[in-house]
Amino acid sequence: MAVPFTVEFSGGLEILFGGERVMKLSLASPRDDDNLTIADLVKHLCDEKMTDSRRDMFVIEGYNVRPGILVLINDADWELEGEADFRAVG
Amino acid sequence: MPSLPLQSLCELCSAQKPSLRRPKTGQKICQQCFFHVFETEIHNTITAASLFHPGERVAIGASGGKDSTVLAHVMKTLNERYSYGVDFVLLSIDEGIRGYRDDSLETVKRNQQQYSLPLKIVSYKDLYDGWSMDNIVAQIGSKNNCTYCGVFRRQALDRGAQMLGINHVLTGHNADDMAETVLMNILRGDTARLDRCTEIITQSAESPIKRSKPLKFAYEKEIVLYAHYKKLDYFSTECTYSPEAFRGTARTLIKNLETVRSSAIIDIIHSGETFALQRRGGKNQAKKLVAGVCERCGYISSNKLCKACVLLDGLNAGRAAVQISLEKPGDQDDGAALVRKQLEHLSF
Ligand SMILES: [Zn+2]
Ligand SMILES: [Zn+2]
């Protein structure tokens, strides 16, 4: 089941995504279960939505969000909730 | 849809849901508690260093970016809460960078309204023979222009402060900036700068104006979150002329260190402070800089001409050469087109 998201980029990160500050998208778990994680969303953004070729400005060593980039989920720091393992509840 | 396991409550008030994890302590705290500890720590930094005295007039270097916007907001808040009795003024430098500084100055003008503080803007063009950063880059290319901007900006802040009759300027340098600077100075072997870069108040022989950094112990992450949760109005685009590669590398290194050692930033600052203390022993014998003034502009300088005037001489010599070459008929259009192209290429 696809989960709708609104993604906001700021602080210069939007430059990597064609200058778009707000992006609405909808995504289902790639594993055929209901456990869509933020890691899935990051991978999707990186593979499908990033317009800049400098991937390492966004992710390093695979799909790990570059240290120093602040990620907020529902306005809360993702470091509260196990970062990329954070399960998406839409 | 499976729902999230309900997280524990704020570790400080045990009443609200936490909003962030503090990089300094690992504590998970709510927004209200965060505002309180963030502001109180800055207040403690200020009182520990006796940064202000009642009736003092102090300029806040305001760029419209997140650091100086948070600085202005917190200074106004603390000044009222703790009755510092300080008279704050916003001081902005207009380097003349189209698409960057003109937009960020609009932000500063809104901040002036929002915080009801007086604002003074001084421009490179007025201070430096009509040279704006855009003109300088058009002349010297995109390399080394941060050298010019660094020298010109320092003097511009001083001169702006002097025009206001103020001798104390606050800058928005945060803990992350300071750790990067310490590391860069170590890697470059620049022990003279290492000595000063961690000090909260700097007053050098090269500058008549005292500088201080009230956000010295504030983490960048918390500054960004403070601005975000307080919905402060700030300008978030990087300077189009700042490809500071070395600083970027130092920053990445520190961020990576932080993932395995969360106290890395404070530890590096502490190291910087300690190195400085050890150096002071032998420093007394070091030659004392004779503080003279620049023959041309009167700015404090230990040489005949101050750094800005030396750089201006170079620029003006170059401008003369360009003007001569443009006088050849037909070349004028090409010259203008070239300049425009250079600027387009730089502003991404
Ligand atoms: Zn709380
Ligand atoms: Zn001079």
Side-chain angles (χ1 to χ4, degrees):
Chain A
M1 187 179 130
V3 181
F5 288 96
T6 303
V7 182
E8 280 186 56
F9 302 103
S10 60
L13 199 62
E14 65 276 8
I15 291 165
L16 305 179
F17 295 87
E20 267 186 81
R21 280 179 181 268
V22 180
M23 209 178 265
K24 285 191 185 298
L25 44 95
S26 156
L27 198 65
S29 166
R31 289 171 301 277
D32 265 340
D33 54 21
D34 273 343
N35 295 330
L36 182 72
T37 65
I38 297 302
D40 298 324
L41 177 60
V42 168
K43 184 172 186 298
H44 178 78
L45 286 174
C46 193
D47 292 344
E48 310 291 336
K49 301 291 179 190
M50 204 167 157
T51 52
D52 198 296
S53 60
R54 293 169 295 173
R55 278 173 59 104
D56 62 339
M57 303 271 281
F58 182 46
V59 289
I60 56 165
E61 293 159 13
Y63 292 99
N64 296 303
V65 174
R66 188 190 164 88
I69 294 180
L70 187 57
V71 183
L72 296 181
I73 301 165
N74 295 331
D75 224 23
D77 181 7
W78 79 337
E79 288 181 30
L80 287 172
E81 307 281 2
E83 305 188 353
D85 299 331
F86 201 109
R87 264 211 241 138
V89 289
Chain B
M1 193 73 3
S3 64
L4 279 168
L6 201 71
Q7 281 302 304
S8 50
L9 294 165
C10 167
E11 289 180 34
L12 292 177
C13 66
S14 308
Q16 301 291 319
K17 261 177 59 182
S19 278
L20 71 141
R21 185 176 169 275
R22 294 201 78 192
K24 222 177 266 191
T25 58
Q27 275 177 323
K28 297 175 177 182
I29 60 174
C30 73
Q31 283 187 27
Q32 288 310 315
C33 289
F34 167 58
F35 295 152
H36 181 75
V37 292
F38 182 81
E39 290 160 1
T40 305
E41 284 176 7
I42 296 169
H43 170 65
N44 292 342
T45 305
I46 288 168
T47 48
S50 309
L51 220 53
F52 307 130
H53 59 79
E56 188 176 3
R57 295 184 69 221
V58 177
I60 300 173
S63 68
K66 62 177 185 350
D67 297 304
S68 65
T69 303
V70 168
L71 179 65
H73 178 89
V74 173
M75 287 307 108
K76 184 174 171 61
T77 305
L78 295 178
N79 197 26
E80 287 165 5
R81 183 179 302 160
Y82 296 103
S83 312
Y84 293 157
V86 174
D87 215 352
F88 284 115
V89 182
L90 298 174
L91 174 58
S92 288
I93 309 301
D94 182 0
E95 297 95 338
I97 304 175
R98 213 164 304 136
Y100 167 68
R101 187 51 83 209
D102 43 1
D103 291 348
S104 58
L105 280 175
E106 288 308 312
T107 312
V108 176
K109 286 176 193 163
R110 288 197 302 275
N111 289 159
Q112 174 197 11
Q113 303 291 320
Q114 289 151 359
Y115 305 148
S116 46
L117 293 172
L119 166 67
K120 168 88 183 167
I121 300 176
V122 286
S123 74
Y124 279 13
K125 258 194 151 138
D126 293 340
L127 291 175
Y128 304 118
D129 296 354
W131 285 98
S132 69
M133 255 336 265
D134 281 346
N135 293 335
I136 293 172
V137 171
Q139 166 126 337
I140 64 166
S142 58
K143 285 212 173 120
N144 291 328
N145 51 59
C146 284
T147 308
Y148 286 81
C149 208
V151 171
F152 284 177
R153 185 202 297 265
R154 172 161 270 275
Q155 279 208 13
L157 270 179
D158 284 353
R159 284 162 194 250
Q162 277 174 323
M163 287 176 201
L164 294 164
I166 287 176
N167 64 6
H168 189 179
V169 176
L170 305 183
T171 59
H173 292 94
N174 61 44
D176 298 53
D177 295 332
M178 196 168 276
E180 287 160 18
T181 308
V182 170
L183 201 58
M184 285 160 69
N185 286 334
I186 291 173
L187 295 175
R188 281 194 293 236
D190 193 340
T191 49
R193 282 212 175 82
L194 182 61
D195 205 39
R196 273 184 300 166
C197 73
T198 54
E199 282 170 10
I200 183 163
I201 306 171
T202 47
Q203 186 150 37
S204 69
E206 292 160 21
S207 165
I209 309 287
K210 185 164 81 175
R211 301 290 177 103
S212 44
K213 305 165 185 153
L215 302 184
K216 169 181 175 181
F217 292 116
Y219 275 62
E220 188 164 281
K221 174 180 168 180
E222 295 198 347
I223 289 172
V224 173
L225 283 172
Y226 187 87
H228 177 75
Y229 290 140
K230 285 272 183 187
K231 298 187 170 57
L232 301 187
D233 183 3
Y234 70 96
F235 185 74
S236 68
T237 306
E238 289 280 315
C239 172
T240 40
Y241 296 141
S242 76
E244 271 197 288
F246 194 44
R247 180 172 290 277
T249 309
R251 184 184 162 79
T252 306
L253 184 56
I254 292 172
K255 285 289 153 210
N256 288 335
L257 281 172
E258 248 189 325
T259 60
V260 289
R261 185 180 173 83
S262 55
S263 58
I265 286 183
I266 286 296
D267 293 345
I268 292 171
I269 294 173
H270 179 68
S271 298
E273 285 172 334
T274 313
F275 286 142
L277 279 173
Q278 286 172 346
R279 273 180 49 84
R280 272 193 203 117
K283 212 181 154 189
N284 291 339
Q285 302 112 292
K287 63 176 164 87
K288 225 180 170 183
L289 278 179
V290 191
V293 292
C294 171
E295 277 182 358
R296 190 171 306 155
C297 71
Y299 186 83
I300 289 190
S301 169
S302 47
N303 296 312
K304 270 187 172 179
L305 290 181
C306 73
K307 281 182 195 155
C309 285
V310 171
L311 289 177
L312 277 176
D313 274 353
L315 286 171
N316 287 330
R319 179 155 64 187
V322 170
Q323 275 165 354
I324 292 161
S325 71
L326 283 182
E327 271 165 24
K328 281 186 285 179
D331 274 5
Q332 213 136 1
D333 289 344
D334 291 351
L338 186 73
V339 169
R340 214 175 303 126
K341 205 167 173 190
Q342 231 166 2
L343 289 172
E344 255 169 22
H345 183 74
L346 278 162
S347 57
F348 52 87

